[in-house]
Amino acid sequence: MQVLYVSTEVYPALKTGGLADVNAALPPALIRLGADVRLLLPAFPALLKAAGQLERVAKLDTVFGTAPVEISRGTLDGVPAYFIVAPEFYARRGNPYTDAKGQDWPDNHLRFALLGWVAARFADSAFDGWRPDIVHSHDWHAGLAPAYLAARGGDRPGSVFTVHNLSYQGQFPAETFGALHLPPHFFGLQGLEFYGKVNFIKAGLHYADRITTVSPTYAREIQTPQQGCGMEGLLRSRAGALTGILNGVDPQEWNPASDPRIPARYDAGHLEGKAVCKTALQTGLGLGLNAAGPLFGAVSRLTTQKGLDLLLGALPRLTAGGGQLALLGAGDADLEQGFRAAAAAHPRAVAVRIGYDEDRAHRIVAGADVMVVPSRFEPCGLTQMYGLAYGTLPLVRRVGGLADTVTDAAVPEGDGFVFEETNVAALGAALERVFSVWREPHIWAALRRQAMRADFGWEPSARRYLDLYRGLRPHA
Ligand code: ADP
Ligand code: GLC
């Protein structure tokens, strides 16, 4: 089974969120199952740096008014990867999607159209004598790959489109459509047009042979007006082609028994190291060492999705109960400012670090007692699973992948705390439940044992992707 895996970011070379973690772990898991998976990525500088020596396999004229682009082959952590070397599009400061000030690049429609267009060119065996059976593209950035394949028609690879986050859609003015060089009728209701605009994620949802998203619950939720971001009708009409496949945890990166980034290693049978991690975290952040309540941790983008405004609102209750908070994140200016102010007001109870810091993320997951993820919506979510692996009980809202991965302490197989409503009072009530269990150390220990038993290995999920590919191309 030959699979072209089309995306934009891969941990550790380039990461803005969980997509990079998934892109680093799923392709190797598929390769271990015998698939020939190769990445296709824009040649962003950080990726090129990580890829080392490259070999040019093709040079082609594009339809996007660029100089001819090169397709080069290399590897990323041992996984074969093709890079689209188009410096005028990709050799820029900032992250893959925005400039250093956080503004979308004005030519994003062309930058990511090129990604989907090159993916479809692989169907012509244009590069390296290698033709994929399946083109598997991810999120709006790669959403045009299924459209270019559909436009090509004939004997083409099967297309799979995975939604990691439906709320980022890649919408552009109608005038940009001409520059995409797709058949005119693609700009319609039965195509990639959405309320008069070009919509890249809709292209993926409409044209892909199969759609997946990253948890079973999110797969259901996005078929409703509440979570469908306007795509619910289309998704309902394609329900037969849509599945939810849960993300996994990469044990090479997130395992308290071997994690080199934390001050002491531990496992479920030897938890002394976890206590060392907690003290080190408190000391490192200037938090008090004798708090009566648990230490809550959060590692997150600070956006509406993540519901951390609820946590900010519930902070008085968290500190009144003797709890502490260690938060690492970056994003909305209001939230950054709000958390900074809370830390300044309660320096022994609340520590906030604004920015992106992989080492600190691991130290928080290991050192905290509770991982807080109060998301409004969450396609899968990874930090609650990291919390489980590290015996740091997740406190989550019952939504999306959070609902699929955390079981409330109220039932015998519980391994965390789950609340329902999206408001400060509901989170506050959940905090009180955390405090009351905290006062019963043997119950806490039992929950922690259960949490550390949870197994979110990638293999079962990789098998499900492989089954999906085989369903589309049984003879590959
Ligand atoms: P999303 O992709 O929506 O941001 P996920 O929970 O799937 O959410 O993945 C987030 C990933 O990004 C996790 O690996 C988490 O540890 C990491 N992360 C988020 N914010 C930060 C930060 N400020 N510093 C370091 N890592 C972060
Ligand atoms: C998105 C989602 C997150 C998911 C991640 C990886 O960023 O917001 O829930 O875990 O993609 O699939």
Side-chain angles (χ1 to χ4, degrees), residues 333-355:
D334 288 359
L335 283 170
E336 290 187 356
Q337 180 46 35
F339 278 109
R340 276 205 176 104
H346 304 280
R348 304 293 284 166
V350 179
V352 171
R353 295 292 181 272
I354 300 299

Side-chain angles (χ1 to χ4, degrees), residues 15 17-18 21 299-301 306 328-329 355-357 381-383 386:
K15 166 166 165 176
D21 293 13
V299 178
S300 184
R301 293 184 291 119
K306 301 293 177 178
L328 169 64
Y356 183 88
D357 183 339
L382 298 173
T383 59
Y386 300 157

Side-chain angles (χ1 to χ4, degrees), residues 167-324:
S167 73
Y168 299 99
Q169 301 197 341
Q171 285 214 62
F172 303 96
E175 303 79 74
T176 61
F177 179 73
L180 303 180
H181 291 265
L182 283 162
H185 69 275
F186 277 40
F187 191 65
L189 187 61
Q190 297 297 318
L192 53 72
E193 183 259 346
F194 186 68
Y195 292 100
K197 294 198 165 153
V198 168
N199 187 305
F200 276 40
I201 212 161
K202 188 179 174 209
L205 300 177
H206 180 80
Y207 289 105
D209 298 321
R210 294 286 182 279
I211 307 163
T212 77
T213 186
V214 287
S215 70
T217 295
Y218 192 61
R220 286 192 299 276
E221 288 169 345
I222 56 177
Q223 298 179 54
T224 67
Q226 293 76 26
Q227 301 268 18
C229 302
M231 299 295 164
E232 58 275 10
L234 170 57
L235 285 162
R236 272 200 306 276
S237 76
R238 300 219 58 202
L242 167 65
T243 43
I245 304 178
L246 199 63
N247 287 333
V249 171
D250 185 350
Q252 305 272 23
E253 285 300 322
W254 293 95
N255 178 355
S258 57
D259 189 338
R261 301 176 194 262
I262 61 178
R265 272 143 294 281
Y266 60 92
D267 59 36
H270 310 86
L271 283 163
E272 308 78 21
K274 182 154 179 71
V276 175
C277 291
K278 178 173 179 179
T279 309
L281 182 62
Q282 289 169 313
T283 309
L285 294 173
L287 292 167
L289 285 174
N290 296 313
L295 170 55
F296 294 80
V299 178
S300 184
R301 293 184 291 119
L302 301 178
T303 62
T304 313
Q305 170 186 348
K306 301 293 177 178
L308 289 165
D309 51 316
L310 305 177
L311 182 62
L312 195 56
L315 262 187
R317 230 156 139 181
L318 187 151
T319 51
Q324 296 177 313

